[in-house]
Amino acid sequence: MGTFSLGIAEFLMMGILSEIAQGLGIDVAKAGHLISAYALGVCAGAVLLLFARNLPLRRLMVILGVLIAVGNLCAAAAWSFGSLFAFRFVSGLPHGCFFGVGAIVAQKIAEEGKQVRAVAYMIAGMTVANLVGVPAGTFLTNNFSWRLAFLIVGICGTLTAIALRMWIPALPALENHGFKSQFRFLKTLPPWLIFGGVLFGQIGLYCWYSYIDPQLTRVSGFTQDDLSWLMVLAGAGMVGGNLMAGRLSDRFKPAAVACSVQAAGLPVLILFFLFGSCQWAAVVLMMAGTAVLFGSGSPLQSSIVGYSRGGEFLGAACIQIAYNAGNAVAAFLGGAVLSAGWGLRSVSLVGMPFIGTGCVLLLVLYLRFERNR
């Protein structure tokens, strides 16, 4: 429920910017800063999590659920661009923290041998948000008001906090050896290999996916009306890729699974470049690409907990920072390529060196630190 709420809060903005701009009397370019406000909140939340290590895990998760509710309920009532910017920042604060703490809690309450699968179930909320929540929020915005979409996310956040309090068992706080001890894991190589694998892999794939809308309409020949059901299929690919990778990571080494999943993105991008004008091929490749996009999340989000002993909160939250940084760089890179006149097909190829770099980093993680474990 929590990651479902966060998924809508993060991804809904891309499809309702025009309505928000019109409602607040601003241009779309300025409304785009509301996406940046959320990303800034994600980064700031990871820093604040450093001071929460003494809190029992269930209590901390409930607080994060309340923040999801408060940020989005206030956003629904925003009276100006400045107030909405501030509330978007607040709603971004719990994002990375929730994934970080949630990964730890999921592993602690999971059955032996099913820890990564449990993390995948948690992340599945975000994929379901893209499958159902974002299209529903877009529909409500187009037919009623963008405020209603934020109101529903706020209600979901409230229900999340209540459900966490009722059904998550009471778990003690993580062992605390002092503030500085939370940074010691950064002196080791594995966390940086994971952060790098996430960052470069996300840049490579998101450079293509950031512009999937115009690629499907201008290259593949779909209409704007077709995008509603196409985005549902894209969400289905995310759900399948995430859950499959989670199951595989309980049987094989997580780094090997994550590396293999990211490597699968290379032929997807090449084939989309070559056959994107064929509608059925574009749909199949889009679903495969979104499966890759979310497939590496659960194995790496689970692995970082083990590689960041003493700083589990920071390590897990930093993965979300890497994802958001990758998204920002990818959108800029794809935009620069299009501005240079290379054409929409080119964004499929530009990201490939980044995916290759991410695969190399994850392969080093597997060979040096996981293969013989």
Side-chain angles (χ1 to χ4, degrees):
M1 291 177 64
T3 58
F4 175 77
S5 304
L6 292 168
I8 300 176
E10 180 177 13
F11 291 105
L12 178 63
M13 286 297 299
M14 287 72 164
I16 65 173
L17 279 181
S18 298
E19 287 79 4
I20 290 180
Q22 184 178 0
L24 296 177
I26 58 176
D27 57 39
V28 173
K30 187 174 182 179
H33 295 319
L34 298 171
I35 298 175
S36 302
Y38 190 91
L40 289 171
V42 175
C43 298
V47 176
L48 294 176
L49 197 57
L50 293 171
F51 302 94
R53 195 172 179 84
N54 290 326
L55 289 175
L57 293 174
R58 182 177 66 181
R59 185 186 305 171
L60 180 54
M61 292 207 75
V62 171
I63 292 172
L64 295 173
V66 171
L67 270 177
I68 296 172
V70 170
N72 287 283
L73 289 174
C74 290
W79 57 90
S80 65
F81 170 78
S83 62
L84 185 55
F85 187 95
F87 296 140
R88 283 288 292 170
F89 176 84
V90 172
S91 62
L93 289 174
H95 186 106
C97 307
F98 196 95
F99 277 89
V101 180
I104 296 169
V105 171
Q107 292 189 61
K108 285 183 175 292
I109 64 178
E111 297 178 30
E112 186 63 33
K114 296 183 179 180
Q115 286 89 347
V116 184
R117 192 180 310 179
V119 175
Y121 289 153
M122 178 198 71
I123 295 176
M126 177 164 279
T127 62
V128 174
N130 281 278
L131 177 65
V132 178
V134 172
T138 303
F139 173 82
L140 291 173
T141 298
N142 292 336
N143 290 276
F144 299 99
S145 169
W146 59 268
R147 297 181 186 275
L148 184 58
F150 285 118
L151 176 63
I152 291 176
V153 178
I155 293 172
C156 287
T158 303
L159 296 175
T160 297
I162 294 171
L164 288 168
R165 181 62 183 83
M166 291 177 61
W167 290 318
I168 295 295
L171 297 170
L174 296 180
E175 190 175 356
N176 191 355
H177 297 289
F179 184 79
K180 291 183 178 179
S181 67
Q182 298 184 64
F183 297 90
R184 286 176 186 159
F185 77 95
L186 294 174
K187 297 180 180 179
T188 61
L189 182 59
W192 294 105
L193 293 173
I194 291 176
F195 298 151
V198 167
L199 177 65
F200 286 107
Q202 193 73 358
I203 291 173
L205 283 162
Y206 227 82
C207 187
W208 159 74
Y209 190 65
S210 294
Y211 298 92
I212 193 65
D213 178 341
Q215 288 180 86
L216 290 173
T217 54
R218 300 181 194 175
V219 177
S220 304
F222 289 102
T223 67
Q224 284 294 133
D225 293 336
D226 290 327
L227 288 178
S228 297
W229 63 266
L230 286 170
M231 289 303 99
V232 171
L233 292 180
M238 296 176 187
V239 173
N242 170 61
L243 295 179
M244 185 179 299
R247 287 181 174 271
L248 289 173
S249 296
D250 280 326
R251 297 183 58 188
F252 305 101
K253 304 296 184 184
V257 173
C259 180
S260 301
V261 169
Q262 282 200 11
L266 295 172
V268 168
L269 295 185
I270 293 175
L271 291 172
F272 200 97
F273 175 79
L274 295 174
F275 303 107
S277 57
C278 174
Q279 290 190 340
W280 70 265
V283 171
V284 172
L285 291 169
M286 176 192 67
M287 294 182 68
T290 55
V292 171
L293 191 64
F294 271 79
S296 63
S298 53
L300 295 179
Q301 189 81 60
S302 178
S303 293
I304 194 63
V305 176
Y307 287 120
S308 57
R309 296 298 182 194
E312 293 91 343
F313 286 171
L314 179 61
C318 280
I319 281 193
Q320 295 303 314
I321 294 177
Y323 274 119
N324 280 269
N327 294 348
V329 173
F332 172 80
L333 184 63
V337 168
L338 294 177
S339 298
W342 289 12
L344 282 167
R345 288 177 178 267
S346 63
V347 294
S348 299
L349 300 183
V350 170
M352 292 180 63
F354 294 95
I355 295 178
T357 303
C359 289
V360 170
L361 295 175
L362 295 177
L363 182 62
V364 171
L365 177 68
Y366 167 70
L367 295 176
R368 288 195 57 182
F369 300 98
E370 290 192 8
R371 179 170 56 174
N372 298 320
R373 253 187 187 178

